[in-house]
Amino acid sequence: MDGDWAGLARRIAHARRLASLSQEELAEALNIGKSSVQKLERPTAQWSKISPMHRLVASYFGWTPESIERILDGREPIMLTGDSPPNPPRSASAAFEELTAGMSPRAVEALRRGSTVDTDVVDLAAGEADVEAVLIFKSKGWEHVPAERKRAVLRKWAQLQIAAREIFAEEEPSNQ
């Protein structure tokens, strides 16, 4: 994806500093690793698409959902509620509890294990963005998985994403 990724990195770092947060504090508030914040703020980081972390940062700093695209186009982000300061930092455990509210214990435990490799969002009803499924690909020690095994697992992950889209793209039978 084209865009000013270096400008986005600088904007995220600037917003963090304006909020008087260290990288560690922002990482804890977002329930992500410090290295993820470092990558988000690195002007030389290579991104092929907007990641869920970019969206999470935008939300945290009170930017509208389209602000990431605006910054990539060289424009300013839009604040959701004027120029209000960002949300105060939350603890990682409070953020996790909020995220997992209403989830089954099995899903919560799965989210606690390993690290996130990739995510995807699938619209469950055509034209209705308010009905979505979130797919999360997690792994313990992904960085140590042999390359051949990674390729095989990533092929299956891609097949899962395609299958999910196909299932939900099918017309539902009418109730006649």
Side-chain angles (χ1 to χ4, degrees), residues 18 34 36 58 64 77 91 95 106 121 130 155 158 170 173 175-176:
L18 279 177
K34 179 184 173 190
S36 295
T64 61
S91 71
R106 183 174 176 216
V121 178
D130 62 336
R155 274 193 301 276
E170 295 174 3
N175 295 332
Q176 294 180 357

Side-chain angles (χ1 to χ4, degrees), residues 28-47:
E28 183 177 328
L30 299 176
N31 199 28
I32 62 176
K34 179 184 173 190
S35 63
S36 295
V37 172
Q38 290 171 331
K39 182 176 180 184
L40 286 168
E41 293 185 1
R42 188 178 313 122
T44 57
Q46 298 295 312
W47 297 94

Side-chain angles (χ1 to χ4, degrees), residues 112-131:
R112 288 186 194 279
R113 289 191 303 266
S115 58
T116 301
V117 176
D118 194 18
T119 61
D120 197 2
V121 178
V122 177
D123 293 327
L124 300 185
E128 296 181 39
D130 62 336
V131 183

